[in-house]
Amino acid sequence: MQNKLKDFQKKINITFKDEKKLLQALVHRSHLNEQTSHNESNERYEFLGDAVLELWATESLFNSYPGFHEGNMTNLRAKLVCTKSLSQTALEIGLDKMVLLSQGEEQGGGRENQSILADTFEALICAIFLDQGQSSVEKFLNSTLLPKMKKFAQAKTFKDPKSIFQEFAQAKESVTPHYEIESENGPDHQKEFVVAAYIGDKKVSTGKGNNKQSAEEEAAKEAVKKLYT
């Protein structure tokens, strides 16, 4: 593990003063069931990392896009820091190979689980913040997430599917859509949610995802395709 930690630090171009902070960021709660060397998961790191990430994203959007109104900045921030975006970034830096999982979680596809990857990415942000300070966090996020922010902004894809669906539904039908969970299957580490999107009492579409939010987003995408394209 020591060599993996060294190689990972080279990849992200950060040398930790205290490698224990980096290691703590990698401990998924399932790992605690199978060993005794760690007493705590990375969930507290995730909590702080989420706040540090949101501040960076908010400040970056505010400074980079003075012409954007509050609604556009909010939607772009949501798209940038959503589970899908963060999990993709985690894969790009090889975080999937570093997270410490139980055997069961790993066999169940934990290294490809978007929620686990996104949470670990937020925990890594916290570890950098605690070890190096805000300036190193900014440097790290500027290299990993800022290109995505610019791409989303240039493509004008900063509105998430649910917002687009809501705007269409309100404009065309004068109704705010809502979502209902139709089913929830699978073990805790590999859930699949099926969510239906409704306009009033009319079921418009369904979507699947490994959490409620992603299932709702898929349902919204399908609704927009079906009704408005």
Side-chain angles (χ1 to χ4, degrees):
M1 186 61 181
Q2 197 65 32
N3 288 336
K4 287 181 68 177
L5 288 174
K6 298 292 186 189
D7 290 342
F8 181 70
Q9 289 174 84
K10 288 179 183 177
K11 185 164 189 176
I12 63 174
N13 199 28
I14 294 173
T15 302
F16 277 77
K17 301 170 188 173
D18 181 3
E19 279 190 356
K20 290 180 181 178
K21 290 185 174 69
L22 172 57
L23 190 59
Q24 182 61 55
L26 304 174
V27 181
H28 184 257
R29 64 177 179 273
S30 67
H31 186 67
L32 301 180
N33 300 326
E34 296 186 356
Q35 55 77 53
T36 57
S37 58
H38 300 286
N39 299 317
E40 187 178 6
S41 75
N42 62 3
E43 289 174 343
R44 281 173 56 82
Y45 272 38
E46 175 200 339
F47 172 77
L48 180 55
D50 174 68
V52 174
L53 171 61
E54 181 143 339
L55 176 60
W56 170 84
T58 302
E59 186 176 16
S60 296
L61 284 164
F62 183 84
N63 292 330
S64 299
Y65 302 102
F68 280 16
H69 60 67
E70 185 269 344
N72 281 352
M73 289 193 294
T74 298
N75 288 334
L76 181 50
R77 183 179 62 190
K79 186 174 179 65
L80 184 68
V81 304
C82 73
T83 298
K84 181 179 179 181
S85 173
L86 296 186
S87 64
Q88 287 175 339
T89 307
L91 286 170
E92 288 165 8
I93 63 173
L95 199 53
D96 55 314
K97 299 177 179 65
M98 299 300 299
V99 60
L100 299 174
L101 302 168
S102 67
Q103 272 194 330
E105 190 72 61
E106 184 156 4
Q107 290 169 0
R111 294 195 186 280
E112 293 80 44
N113 184 298
Q114 289 189 347
S115 294
I116 291 176
L117 292 174
D119 291 347
T120 307
F121 186 79
E122 290 179 338
L124 174 61
I125 292 170
C126 174
I128 297 169
F129 177 74
L130 294 176
D131 189 76
Q132 306 269 324
Q134 183 68 23
S135 61
S136 287
V137 170
E138 290 176 0
K139 183 178 178 182
F140 171 69
L141 292 175
N142 286 346
S143 67
T144 54
L145 281 182
L146 191 59
K148 283 185 170 67
M149 178 189 292
K150 292 178 178 178
K151 181 180 178 182
F152 293 155
Q154 289 170 358
K156 299 189 183 299
T157 57
F158 41 78
K159 288 188 179 180
D160 60 278
K162 291 174 67 177
S163 296
I164 295 171
F165 179 37
Q166 180 171 315
E167 287 183 6
F168 279 138
Q170 289 175 336
K172 302 284 187 180
E173 313 286 343
S174 299
V175 173
T176 299
H178 67 279
Y179 303 86
E180 295 181 10
I181 297 176
E182 290 196 333
S183 65
E184 181 181 337
N185 302 304
D188 287 341
H189 65 272
Q190 204 171 11
K191 287 281 189 186
E192 181 182 73
F193 291 82
V194 178
V195 170
Y198 286 82
I199 294 178
D201 296 329
K202 180 185 176 183
K203 178 179 171 180
V204 179
S205 62
T206 59
K208 296 180 181 179
N210 59 12
N211 55 56
K212 181 183 174 185
Q213 176 69 22
S214 61
E216 288 180 354
E217 289 177 356
E218 289 302 313
K221 283 181 187 177
E222 290 304 311
V224 171
K225 287 180 186 177
K226 183 181 292 187
L227 297 178
Y228 308 113
T229 60

